[in-house]
Amino acid sequence: MSTAGLDRRTRRRQETIEEILDVAIDLMETEGVAALSLSAVARHLGMQPPSLYQYFPSKMAIYDALFQRGARRLRDAHRAALARATNADPFANDLIAISAFCRWCLENQVYSQLLFWRTIPGFEPSPEAFAPAQDSLQDLRDHLQAAVDAGRLHPDATSDDGIALFTSITAGLLSQQIANEPDASFEHGRFIRLLPAVLEMFYQRYAPTRGKK
């Protein structure tokens, strides 16, 4: 988050918040997402645990801030890919966008666990934290609508069921890749390389002739 334009005190507070979140992510990478400890975060920052509560009242508040940060970064990476997807073929554009989405998830697995898997008992993101994720879903719906308008997909592709199927099959590939080959790159992952085939299956499911005899 940019601190430009903030007064010195507010800027310093925001910088400390970002430092706390950075340390939390580092600890979650080594100790596990659900094993985050406020005392460990404070110790790595060289502050007393009570001082940490001036910035985050609870561990769940840190998770919430990390969820929002991750959802925002993923949304922005997806939007950047959408901006580059200028092919005449909607399928090629969708493959560019979803590839960027999955690449980011593989390169940021701690955030991915927080965003897509219930690894923290009792955690639910706040509406504010969840807002960027909703933006991403709307971006997906709009992008699929462009394929519908181009005559490459049936209108049902943008229905709630269509969106659920699209996110389920892509998340399934990610889950398999992270579970079985967490250190493999996007280019060499045994499961994630099936992404074009999965997208083709979606396009076949929602072909423009869907429901016609």
Side-chain angles (χ1 to χ4, degrees):
M1 179 180 293
S2 174
T3 59
L6 300 177
D7 62 73
R8 180 179 299 179
R9 183 175 181 179
T10 303
R11 183 170 61 251
R12 180 53 190 156
R13 177 177 176 81
Q14 188 59 47
E15 289 172 350
T16 301
I17 288 173
E18 295 301 319
E19 289 175 11
I20 291 170
L21 297 181
D22 288 342
V23 168
I25 281 291
D26 288 344
L27 289 172
M28 290 159 69
E29 286 179 347
T30 57
E31 304 295 333
V33 174
L36 182 64
S37 163
L38 290 183
S39 60
V41 172
R43 184 169 60 252
H44 278 74
L45 287 166
M47 64 170 61
Q48 295 298 316
S51 298
L52 195 62
Y53 290 105
Q54 298 178 25
Y55 302 94
F56 292 100
S58 67
K59 184 165 63 174
M60 290 299 181
I62 292 182
Y63 283 133
D64 196 62
L66 287 172
F67 187 102
Q68 184 177 34
R69 181 204 256 188
R72 187 187 298 118
R73 290 181 178 181
L74 179 54
R75 177 199 63 192
D76 293 347
H78 188 227
R79 284 180 172 177
L82 289 175
R84 297 192 301 270
T86 57
N87 295 283
D89 180 19
F91 180 91
N93 291 333
D94 285 340
L95 185 57
I96 290 172
I98 195 60
S99 294
F101 186 98
C102 291
R103 181 188 296 274
W104 188 95
C105 290
L106 291 179
E107 293 175 352
N108 298 272
Q109 294 186 25
V110 172
Y111 284 113
S112 297
Q113 292 179 55
L114 190 59
L115 291 170
F116 303 119
W117 292 277
R118 291 184 176 272
T119 53
I120 305 163
F123 172 69
E124 289 285 346
S126 66
E128 182 180 12
F130 195 68
Q134 291 180 309
D135 291 341
S136 292
L137 282 175
Q138 187 58 51
D139 290 343
L140 171 61
R141 194 183 299 271
D142 292 343
H143 201 55
L144 292 178
Q145 184 61 52
V148 172
D149 295 341
R152 290 284 274 115
L153 287 174
H154 189 277
D156 286 353
T158 62
S159 67
D160 289 345
D161 284 348
I163 298 298
L165 178 60
F166 191 98
T167 55
S168 294
I169 57 180
T170 52
L173 281 186
L174 279 171
S175 180
Q176 285 285 81
Q177 187 61 56
I178 291 174
N180 292 281
E181 295 179 341
D183 297 325
S185 67
F186 178 84
E187 288 77 15
H188 298 100
R190 180 161 57 100
F191 296 93
I192 207 64
R193 68 179 177 82
L194 300 174
L195 195 57
V198 164
L199 185 59
E200 184 178 354
M201 291 167 61
F202 181 84
Y203 265 70
Q204 290 174 351
R205 171 70 176 176
Y206 290 104
T209 55
R210 174 182 169 89
K212 296 181 180 179
K213 296 182 179 180

